[in-house]
Amino acid sequence: MRLCFLVEEHYRHDGMPNEVIRQLTSWGHQVDVVRPGGSLLRMTGLIDASAHDAWVLKTVSGGPGLTLLEAAAAAGTTTVNDARSIRGVRDKALAAAIGRVRGLPLPATYAVAHPALLREIPAAEYPLVVKPADGSSGRAVHLVSSPGRLESLLPLLAGEGMLIAQPYVPNSGTDVKVYAVGGELFATERCSPLHPDPSVRERRVPLSSEVAAIAAQVGAVYGLDLYGVDVLLGPDGPVVVDVNDFPSFRQVPDAAARVARAVLELAGAGGPARPAAPSIPAATPIPSAPSIPAATPIPSAPSIPAAPSIPAQAAAGAGEAV
């Protein structure tokens, strides 16, 4: 199988997706890498429907990679994740609107094109969490305690473009990050960017049935196959505060092999002329937490109505190695 990975400069030296690329190569598959943020791209000749079996995206929000993935999808190429699904979570204002109307437990969300418009949010909604609609990796996330505090932050927010604001959800200072890969869910606990505490280290934790059901609903609502969900355990129950396509999969056992396998399955791997990917061994229990299960199967989400059908993409490929 021949695959094309779109890797933004921000992730050029990161373990994810480079470890996945190495894993796929070791299994006998050919992987070409396009760096959309560091290359001259001849768009009129970039998409070749016979060059690759699938394209995979790992870029920052707002990066040029999504444009290329959408172009490949328009040419009938299989993409991981679906290009339109990625757009639906990269724009956090759009993601909030879609999620709330489909029944996900998201906080009320305001969106503004100019920071000064945040002044119109009622004082009763404070404290607020304000962040860029296209933000990622905790960039420019602010906890705003009062309208007066907002005034002092407005100059810092001036260059961020579209912003969203949500009422702060009281919590313990840690987030639960749920990773979905290959039909399984893995939960980790980590320090919230709003409550930095160097003593809190990311670790795997048991996944409750309630949070597992919400994580499964996220995949169904947005149409994602590989994704991560940030969940806060608030006083009124779990709240989804962020969704990421193709996250880091930190703390997921055998992450590179699991993600590589999932990519091959989504791309339609398994032809007799291609080397098959070896099976992934069962996860080794973490010594400090032997009661943590290896993974939680993704449960069905019957309470969420099915998303509008999207025409299936042809398992053709496109791309030009750079």
Side-chain angles (χ1 to χ4, degrees), residues 6 47 55 66-79 83 313 316-319:
L6 299 168
I47 307 301
W55 281 29
L66 185 53
T67 297
L68 299 184
L69 196 76
E70 290 176 325
T77 306
T78 297
T79 64
Q313 296 172 322

Side-chain angles (χ1 to χ4, degrees), residues 158-208:
E160 293 294 346
M162 180 74 77
L163 298 164
I164 66 167
Q166 299 169 324
Y168 171 74
V169 178
N171 64 88
S172 64
T174 59
D175 297 351
V176 175
K177 181 82 171 190
V178 183
Y179 296 107
V181 55
E184 295 179 310
L185 298 173
F186 300 84
T188 68
E189 183 182 64
R190 62 183 186 173
C191 184
S192 167
L194 297 175
H195 304 283
D197 183 351
S199 67
V200 177
R201 295 186 177 182
E202 186 172 9
R203 64 188 182 93
R204 286 179 57 202
V205 294
L207 182 59
S208 70

Side-chain angles (χ1 to χ4, degrees), residues 79-143:
T79 64
V80 181
N81 288 285
D82 178 84
R84 284 166 290 185
S85 298
I86 293 173
R87 182 73 72 181
V89 295
R90 289 291 179 93
D91 182 337
K92 298 182 188 302
L94 175 60
I98 294 172
R100 280 294 285 251
V101 78
R102 298 290 302 281
L104 287 174
L106 283 87
T109 303
Y110 298 89
V112 297
H114 304 285
L117 294 173
L118 292 170
R119 294 176 176 137
E120 299 180 17
I121 297 177
E125 296 280 36
Y126 284 80
L128 292 172
V129 177
V130 177
K131 53 189 174 182
D134 67 347
S136 60
S137 303
R139 175 178 65 84
V141 178
H142 300 278
L143 178 58

Side-chain angles (χ1 to χ4, degrees), residues 215-262:
Q217 290 172 356
V218 166
V221 165
Y222 297 109
L224 296 169
D225 297 295
L226 298 172
Y227 60 95
V229 186
D230 292 348
V231 178
L232 290 178
L233 303 180
D236 298 321
V239 178
V240 173
V241 293
D242 202 10
V243 179
N244 314 111
D245 63 277
F246 209 122
S248 65
F249 296 101
R250 289 194 301 268
Q251 301 296 326
V252 173
D254 303 308
R258 290 181 185 275
V259 174
R261 244 183 114 83

Side-chain angles (χ1 to χ4, degrees), residues 256-281:
R258 290 181 185 275
V259 174
R261 244 183 114 83
V263 166
L264 292 175
E265 290 172 358
L266 293 168
R274 299 289 183 178
S279 60
I280 299 173

